[in-house]
Amino acid sequence: MGERWQAVDDYIADKLLGADDALAATLSNNEKQGLPPIDVSAAQGKMLFLLAQIAGANRILEVGTLGGYSTIWLARALPDDGRLVTLELEPHHARVARENLERAGVSDKVDIRIGSAADSLGAMAKGDPFDFVFIDADKQSNAHYVAEAIRLGRSGTTIVVDNVVREGGVLEADSDDERIVGTRALFDMLSADPRLDATAVQTVGAKKWDGFVLARVR
Ligand code: SAH
Ligand code: DHB
Ligand code: MG
């Protein structure tokens, strides 16, 4: 089915997304500079853009920048005075992202912080709350990142977590893959934490069979 999933994603992109020079240049620059092709798909990027706009987000937090493909979609959802903080472990990824964000004309709105996301989050004091949080980094830390999103958010903050299905891998209760263990720890946390309402939606398409968590801080 994989080819047909890709073909339908191509159809959706053709009908609803249109040509986008900055995003196309981002993907080719990422490839040229050796970044892995694990960005969200175009349709998923537009979904993030729409969710952030529906939330009326003025302050966005992203965990896991890579080359800034999802960052560009999210930054475009912000009003003129809106700001996005994005956290990235790898200095090379952050450098490539900076180029891509500049080309896309959104770098003034985006603050890339280099280092482990757990450290960067730990250094962030509760201030102006984040309205929207997109979590897409090392999957073993997802439960911790959601806890930090709650701490740095407010009642009504939207949280999206990428890659929570992994071709059904989430069902493997005795997996020794840290990413699966981390994803299951995330579901355990979500099922027990009274501070959130959450669901998860499976997806197929250019990124094969995967899914995302959508949650709202109560
Ligand atoms: N959100 C991006 C894709 C992110 S890929 C997009 O859709 O375009 C995951 C990124 O998380 C990688 O760049 C990886 O270097 C980064 N990452 C992995 N572990 C991390 C950590 N502990 N702290 C911060 N970033 C991390
Ligand atoms: C991986 C990470 C992602 O964020 C993604 O969307 C797909 C794959 C990975 O680490 O393999
Ligand atoms: Mg992802």
Side-chain angles (χ1 to χ4, degrees), residues 38-40 62-71 87-90 93 115-118 134 136-139 141 145 162:
I38 56 173
D39 339 70
V40 295
E62 177 178 67
V63 183
T65 315
L66 191 65
Y69 182 86
S70 54
T71 319
L87 310 180
E88 175 55 52
L89 179 65
E90 298 290 343
H93 296 181
S116 103
F134 178 51
D136 189 22
D138 53 317
K139 311 310 174 191
S141 305
Y145 295 152
D162 198 23

Side-chain angles (χ1 to χ4, degrees), residues 65-81:
T65 315
L66 191 65
Y69 182 86
S70 54
T71 319
I72 292 169
W73 277 108
L74 287 167
R76 286 176 174 175
L78 287 167
D80 284 345
D81 64 344

Side-chain angles (χ1 to χ4, degrees), residues 80 112 131 155 176:
D80 284 345
I112 306 178
D131 309 304
S155 174
D176 47 24

Side-chain angles (χ1 to χ4, degrees), residues 52-129:
Q53 287 215 318
I54 290 164
N58 194 268
R59 281 177 49 76
I60 297 177
L61 172 65
E62 177 178 67
V63 183
T65 315
L66 191 65
Y69 182 86
S70 54
T71 319
I72 292 169
W73 277 108
L74 287 167
R76 286 176 174 175
L78 287 167
D80 284 345
D81 64 344
R83 291 293 177 268
L84 187 155
V85 176
T86 184
L87 310 180
E88 175 55 52
L89 179 65
E90 298 290 343
H92 177 58
H93 296 181
R95 253 188 322 270
V96 175
R98 175 58 60 198
E99 295 171 8
N100 293 332
L101 295 170
E102 266 163 29
R103 192 188 306 98
V106 297
S107 59
D108 288 354
K109 291 181 175 176
V110 179
D111 175 6
I112 306 178
R113 299 201 187 152
I114 300 169
S116 103
D119 289 349
S120 297
L121 289 164
M124 289 166 73
K126 268 177 83 92
D128 267 359

Side-chain angles (χ1 to χ4, degrees), residues 4-217:
R4 210 144 160 82
W5 296 345
Q6 174 72 60
V8 172
D9 251 357
D10 291 345
Y11 175 81
I12 291 168
D14 181 50
K15 287 290 178 189
L16 305 181
L17 308 184
D20 194 312
D21 290 346
L23 290 171
T26 292
L27 295 181
S28 59
N29 190 33
N30 288 355
E31 186 180 7
K32 195 177 75 189
Q33 306 223 41
L35 272 53
I38 56 173
D39 339 70
V40 295
S41 71
Q44 289 164 348
K46 182 132 183 211
M47 185 192 76
L48 291 173
F49 165 87
L50 289 167
L51 287 173
Q53 287 215 318
I54 290 164
N58 194 268
R59 281 177 49 76
I60 297 177
L61 172 65
E62 177 178 67
V63 183
T65 315
L66 191 65
Y69 182 86
S70 54
T71 319
I72 292 169
W73 277 108
L74 287 167
R76 286 176 174 175
L78 287 167
D80 284 345
D81 64 344
R83 291 293 177 268
L84 187 155
V85 176
T86 184
L87 310 180
E88 175 55 52
L89 179 65
E90 298 290 343
H92 177 58
H93 296 181
R95 253 188 322 270
V96 175
R98 175 58 60 198
E99 295 171 8
N100 293 332
L101 295 170
E102 266 163 29
R103 192 188 306 98
V106 297
S107 59
D108 288 354
K109 291 181 175 176
V110 179
D111 175 6
I112 306 178
R113 299 201 187 152
I114 300 169
S116 103
D119 289 349
S120 297
L121 289 164
M124 289 166 73
K126 268 177 83 92
D128 267 359
F130 289 104
D131 309 304
F132 190 98
V133 182
F134 178 51
I135 298 171
D136 189 22
D138 53 317
K139 311 310 174 191
Q140 49 271 45
S141 305
N142 271 341
H144 178 65
Y145 295 152
V146 169
E148 288 289 69
I150 296 169
R151 180 177 70 82
L152 297 168
R154 57 166 167 82
S155 174
T157 291
T158 305
I159 302 173
V160 176
V161 188
D162 198 23
N163 311 118
V164 300
V165 174
R166 297 254 171 200
E167 310 252 346
V170 65
L171 295 182
E172 286 158 25
D174 47 15
S175 174
D176 47 24
D177 180 336
E178 285 186 351
R179 296 168 302 181
I180 300 294
V181 175
T183 300
R184 291 178 63 86
L186 170 67
F187 276 97
D188 289 343
M189 178 214 178
L190 294 174
S191 75
D193 198 315
R195 298 172 297 174
L196 293 164
D197 290 305
T199 188
V201 177
Q202 301 185 70
T203 54
V204 295
K207 302 293 164 172
K208 300 194 274 186
W209 175 23
D210 212 326
F212 59 90
V213 157
L214 177 63
R216 178 185 178 277
V217 180

